[in-house]
Amino acid sequence: MKKTKKKPVNIAKAAKTTIFYIFVVGVMVALLLPIYFIISLSFLSTREAYTYPLPLVPALKTQFKLEQGKRGYLLSVYDRVEGDYESVLDTAEPEKMQVYLKSQLATPMTMEDIEQQIARLETEDVIYFTRRRNLLGNYQTFFGVAGFKAVPALIRSLQICAMTIIISLSIGGMAGYAFARYAFKGKDLLKFSTLFVRMFPGVAIAIPMIKILVGLNFYDKPIGLSLVYSIGNIALTVWITASIFMGIPESLEEAAQVFGGSKARAFLRITLPLALPGLAAAAMYSFLGAWNETVSAIILTQFNPTFSVIVYQTVLGAVGQVNLAAAGGMAMAIPAVIFTFFIRRYIRQMWGGVTI
Amino acid sequence: MGMTAIARWNGKTWKKISKGAAPYLLVLPVVLYYAAFWLRPVITSVIASFTGAAGQFTLENFALVFHEEHFIAAVKNTTIIVIFSVTLEFFGALFLALLIDRKFRGSDLFLFLAMIPMALPAAAAGAMWTTGLTAHGWMNSLLGYLGILAEGEKIYWLVGSDAKLLTTLIVIDAWQVIPSVMIILLAGLQNIQEEVKEAGYVFGGDYFHVLRKITLPLLKPTITTAIILRLISAIQIWLIIVFLFGFSRLPVLLERVVYYTKEVRGLYVAGQMAAGYTLVVAAVVSLAALVYLQVSGAFKREEEQLT
């Protein structure tokens, strides 16, 4: 009796769980589909990127057909979507073929290899062969096209991010601590500062900022941009750090003081170590804000662009090179993914304390 | 002065000043920073909006803005975008936050994946959607594979009526913005004590009953916070619009500022136009924020907390 009573409940529960997970997975797929496609696109060869419909998965190898053509040798490529070979090039020059293989098909072949295949045509009418694709071709081209500018820009961006973190976390963190621990006049003003700062468009601040930065001799330098990025980040850091400090009981600090430590020492020995993971998460926020920003960077740099500006220019400049644009975008998105992986544990600490 | 002297000074004096001046000393750097790097450019910008080409005080800039050919459209589009995207994003975010708050197996992974869109840089998002929504892009390819689009049939996402473009834009914007609203709501949900909700279940409420009567009312301050932050950014939308449609196709207020700042050069009214539009944007944002805070009762709660 007991057994039969228990079983239907379990089935119902299992069914419910299954439906729930199907639902969850469905939501996830819908959310991540665009990201999947941009990643997939970043691995496609230029030729593949312009076929329609686009292949769902990048090919790992290319299948070729070679025969005598009108002008020379006729090269055909197997099209997975159409399920047939399509002629792509008719040339007598192996050098041209090599360039085409590399740039359009992302399948590099040595001259020796190409000539060997052509030699086979003397005995056979049609030959077939398969070569491995260079999956990272778009990324190599992206860093190649952006050339020697990309690496210094990357270093510069990292410098800007580091300085933004230091400025925001020190200045914002102090205010956040005051907000969490003291009652004082103007506390609400501090709380609303995050809103105030956002009410004035950032682009509009960047223009008068040129003059201020030139005056400080900071124009077109990493420190200049980090000063600008800190504007929004400080306000955000005040909120986040206030939340974090609120989550650490004041009684701990008081206990330390009872045992003879000063307030500053209690903070350094007790509160700070406890707050450290949350503060690191707040630092990630500042990092991401500084890393992703493009518009102020365009306005406030001249000869020393940031990495995001390089990506932006390559994306815009590569109109008609969608796979390159995708690779550039993805190269820039890697820190973003690391960021979300890290901060997901600190959401409550960061956003749980301060509300309007 | 030795280290011990500093320590002694700290120990005695710190206690005395800690109650009164300490919070102000801690807040002072923020105030100074904002005075130097926020207030100064803002004042410069505000003055510029009241300054004519010859450097005199004038209201002419605003007259220029109000008569600009895209002004009406910009106001209209901005309003539509704000209303629909804030609504859609709020409900989408609330839905995701409630889902993750159920703490099912794998909810940690779900949270990680669901947050990725918010972290994507604008350039990456722009590349994603411009490659996706062209006639030969991946969106139509996918719909073709799924059999939703017949062979040879295509949807032109990026051309057509304003209503169509606005819909495309609002959905895309929601996709990227929902996670950032979600994490604020999720933090609020995680702050609600389980016991409170359990009490609701004990008294016979089902999930939706508890949600409506207990969870959402307790979440209200968080909701206000999330919406006000979102409202402020939604009015300032522009970059994704320019990525998708270019300038002037679907004009919005801030896009006009950028247009007259960066795109139009040499035209003497461009600077005035940009300055005028800037102040219009700032005024609209401030007004909307104030109205929202008033209506949502945030100011009232403030007073209650103080008394």
Side-chain angles (χ1 to χ4, degrees), chain A residues 21 31 188 198 227 231 352, chain B residues 33-34 105 175 191 236 302:
Chain A
Y21 275 100
L31 274 176
D188 291 322
R198 282 155 184 252
L227 284 173
I231 297 171
Chain B
Y33 196 93
Y34 278 134
R105 271 190 67 183
W175 179 84
N191 263 350
Q236 301 183 41
E302 202 71 43

Side-chain angles (χ1 to χ4, degrees), chain A residues 44-86:
Chain A
L44 291 184
S45 71
T46 307
R47 201 193 88 85
E48 270 185 315
Y50 285 94
T51 50
Y52 181 85
L54 282 168
L56 287 174
V57 203
L60 295 175
K61 51 196 178 184
T62 319
Q63 290 165 271
F64 296 102
K65 185 171 93 174
L66 196 63
E67 59 205 314
Q68 296 288 350
K70 276 180 192 160
R71 274 181 261 164
Y73 311 106
L74 180 65
L75 186 73
S76 306
V77 181
Y78 186 74
D79 190 312
R80 288 176 298 152
V81 178
E82 299 290 327
D84 203 0
Y85 282 91
E86 281 193 4

Side-chain angles (χ1 to χ4, degrees), chain A residues 86-125:
Chain A
E86 281 193 4
S87 310
V88 288
L89 189 70
D90 187 357
T91 177
E93 297 164 53
E95 288 84 8
K96 257 192 188 162
M97 201 176 281
Q98 192 190 30
V99 170
Y100 185 87
L101 285 170
K102 187 164 185 269
S103 67
Q104 298 296 306
L105 303 174
T107 315
M109 278 174 75
T110 57
M111 280 309 290
E112 236 178 29
D113 196 1
I114 295 172
E115 273 159 10
Q116 262 174 22
Q117 299 304 328
I118 290 173
R120 280 171 63 193
L121 274 181
E122 284 169 18
T123 51
E124 294 164 74
D125 285 342

Side-chain angles (χ1 to χ4, degrees), chain A residues 34-326:
Chain A
I35 295 177
Y36 170 75
F37 271 102
I38 192 93
I39 293 173
S40 157
L41 195 54
S42 76
F43 291 120
L44 291 184
S45 71
T46 307
R47 201 193 88 85
E48 270 185 315
Y50 285 94
T51 50
Y52 181 85
L54 282 168
L56 287 174
V57 203
L60 295 175
K61 51 196 178 184
T62 319
Q63 290 165 271
F64 296 102
K65 185 171 93 174
L66 196 63
E67 59 205 314
Q68 296 288 350
K70 276 180 192 160
R71 274 181 261 164
Y73 311 106
L74 180 65
L75 186 73
S76 306
V77 181
Y78 186 74
D79 190 312
R80 288 176 298 152
V81 178
E82 299 290 327
D84 203 0
Y85 282 91
E86 281 193 4
S87 310
V88 288
L89 189 70
D90 187 357
T91 177
E93 297 164 53
E95 288 84 8
K96 257 192 188 162
M97 201 176 281
Q98 192 190 30
V99 170
Y100 185 87
L101 285 170
K102 187 164 185 269
S103 67
Q104 298 296 306
L105 303 174
T107 315
M109 278 174 75
T110 57
M111 280 309 290
E112 236 178 29
D113 196 1
I114 295 172
E115 273 159 10
Q116 262 174 22
Q117 299 304 328
I118 290 173
R120 280 171 63 193
L121 274 181
E122 284 169 18
T123 51
E124 294 164 74
D125 285 342
V126 183
I127 59 154
Y128 296 92
F129 57 98
T130 303
R131 288 292 174 273
R132 276 242 309 266
R133 268 208 47 213
N134 175 15
L135 273 181
L136 292 175
N138 293 324
Y139 290 88
Q140 287 159 352
T141 314
F142 170 75
F143 280 97
V145 166
F148 53 92
K149 280 193 295 181
V151 176
L154 185 67
I155 294 168
R156 221 172 286 128
S157 271
L158 291 174
Q159 283 175 336
I160 292 171
C161 289
M163 281 188 279
T164 309
I165 290 173
I166 292 168
I167 297 171
S168 320
L169 212 55
S170 56
I171 295 182
M174 278 162 77
Y177 183 77
F179 190 92
R181 287 288 189 265
Y182 300 93
F184 56 96
K185 264 189 193 168
K187 194 173 165 173
D188 291 322
L189 205 65
L190 184 65
K191 186 164 92 178
F192 283 109
S193 68
T194 301
L195 303 184
F196 286 139
V197 170
R198 282 155 184 252
M199 284 181 194
F200 210 83
V203 192
I205 287 186
I207 306 288
M209 210 58 191
I210 296 176
K211 231 181 183 177
I212 295 174
L213 291 183
V214 168
L216 290 168
N217 210 6
F218 285 162
Y219 180 71
D220 205 17
K221 285 180 186 160
I223 178 73
L225 269 178
S226 62
L227 284 173
V228 176
Y229 293 159
S230 295
I231 297 171
N233 273 321
I234 286 174
L236 195 64
T237 312
V238 172
W239 273 35
I240 293 176
T241 52
S243 252
I244 291 163
F245 288 128
M246 279 171 175
I248 297 163
E250 206 177 346
S251 52
L252 287 179
E253 271 176 57
E254 281 158 6
Q257 279 171 277
V258 167
F259 287 106
S262 70
K263 180 133 186 153
R265 228 173 121 165
F267 173 78
L268 287 177
R269 285 283 170 84
I270 310 283
T271 312
L272 197 60
L274 285 173
L276 219 51
L279 292 179
M284 295 287 281
Y285 249 97
S286 301
F287 176 89
L288 196 71
W291 174 260
N292 282 359
E293 210 284 339
T294 317
V295 182
S296 299
I298 292 172
I299 297 173
L300 292 170
T301 56
Q302 203 172 359
F303 304 111
N304 300 308
T306 64
F307 191 61
S308 74
V309 175
I310 298 277
V311 172
Y312 174 85
Q313 285 167 348
T314 315
V315 168
L316 283 191
V319 179
Q321 273 275 62
V322 289
N323 50 336
L324 266 193

